[in-house]
Amino acid sequence: MAKSDAATPREHYRAQVRTEIKQHAWEQIATAGASALSLNAIAKRMGVSGPALYRYYAGRDELITELIRDAYRSLADAVHAAAGTGADLAGLAHVLRDWALADPQRYFLIYGTPVPGYHAPEEITGISQEIMADLLTACAALEPDAPATPFAAHLAGHRDWAGDHPAPPEALHRALAFWTRLHGVLSLELAGHFTGMGFDPAQLFRAELDDLVARRG
């Protein structure tokens, strides 16, 4: 008789508790930042003992890893879904911005200041590279019409970050420019640094994107 793949009541309960723990963790992060994340504080909010929560997460770092994995997975799936429907570089950029604006704390957990003492496992790097792969494909689709930049030439021999993606050096340069400039705008916007400056951050984002798309080489 084949073994059933259905989760047992105990497994359902465990999943529910882990989900509740993560919800409280996000509330903590929104209030005091990821560096202040505490399983004992979460246990107190849930009305259980600290040791009880360690049956679900071995420690703070395991919980942070779970939150980061969820965040990266959510963004990777959103970007990949858009790429699968034919979204170009501009389309992927707007997916990124919409995702970030929907949950700034989630965005800052993966693209903000690193949590002191925390080191993400290799699997997290793998998920982040899925996002970069879709970005590289979109950049490679924009043919250069100018000589390669010196930095692009440098990237020809320094492309470990791109994995095994076959994008040419010019596309690697464009992808890094896209990543740094648009994340710079997003990070400043979400942190409130444009407040009171009298312009629309969405228009700045579009202007940076237009410049990136128009650039060749």
Side-chain angles (χ1 to χ4, degrees):
M1 183 175 180
K3 184 178 179 180
S4 173
D5 291 330
T8 66
R10 182 174 182 175
E11 290 169 336
H12 275 301
Y13 177 75
R14 180 177 178 81
Q16 289 171 356
V17 174
R18 285 173 65 91
T19 296
E20 184 178 356
I21 292 171
K22 287 192 288 185
Q23 290 172 344
H24 285 291
W26 282 119
E27 292 171 5
Q28 270 195 14
I29 290 172
T31 301
S35 61
L37 193 62
S38 166
L39 281 176
N40 287 331
I42 293 174
K44 186 175 181 180
R45 288 288 305 274
M46 294 176 64
V48 300
S49 68
L53 257 63
Y54 286 89
R55 294 199 296 266
Y56 300 94
Y57 289 99
R60 183 206 68 160
D61 284 6
E62 184 179 335
L63 176 55
I64 291 176
T65 294
E66 183 85 356
L67 298 175
I68 291 175
R69 182 190 299 112
D70 288 352
Y72 266 127
R73 184 76 269 153
S74 172
L75 179 57
D77 288 349
V79 169
H80 194 61
T85 61
D88 58 8
L89 187 61
L92 298 185
H94 289 296
V95 168
L96 170 62
R97 184 169 189 271
D98 290 345
W99 183 90
L101 291 176
D103 192 337
Q105 293 304 325
R106 181 178 57 176
Y107 173 86
F108 280 124
L109 181 64
I110 59 176
Y111 293 120
T113 303
V115 179
Y118 172 78
H119 300 283
E122 287 293 326
E123 63 172 300
I124 300 300
T125 301
I127 302 173
S128 67
Q129 286 181 336
E130 293 178 32
I131 301 169
M132 184 58 72
D134 282 323
L135 172 58
L136 285 167
T137 297
C139 287
L142 298 173
E143 293 295 334
D145 59 11
T149 63
F151 184 59
H154 168 77
L155 288 175
H158 299 81
R159 54 184 301 149
D160 290 351
W161 58 274
D164 59 0
H165 198 286
E170 295 81 4
L172 298 180
H173 187 182
R174 189 192 298 273
L176 284 179
F178 173 101
W179 206 236
T180 54
R181 286 172 61 174
L182 296 189
H183 274 301
V185 173
L186 276 174
S187 295
L188 289 170
E189 177 183 1
L190 295 175
H193 292 296
F194 295 148
T195 302
M197 293 183 70
F199 67 85
D200 182 359
Q203 294 293 330
L204 174 60
F205 188 87
R206 291 191 196 98
E208 288 293 285
L209 178 59
D210 288 346
D211 184 59
L212 287 165
V213 171
R215 289 174 60 227
R216 294 291 185 268

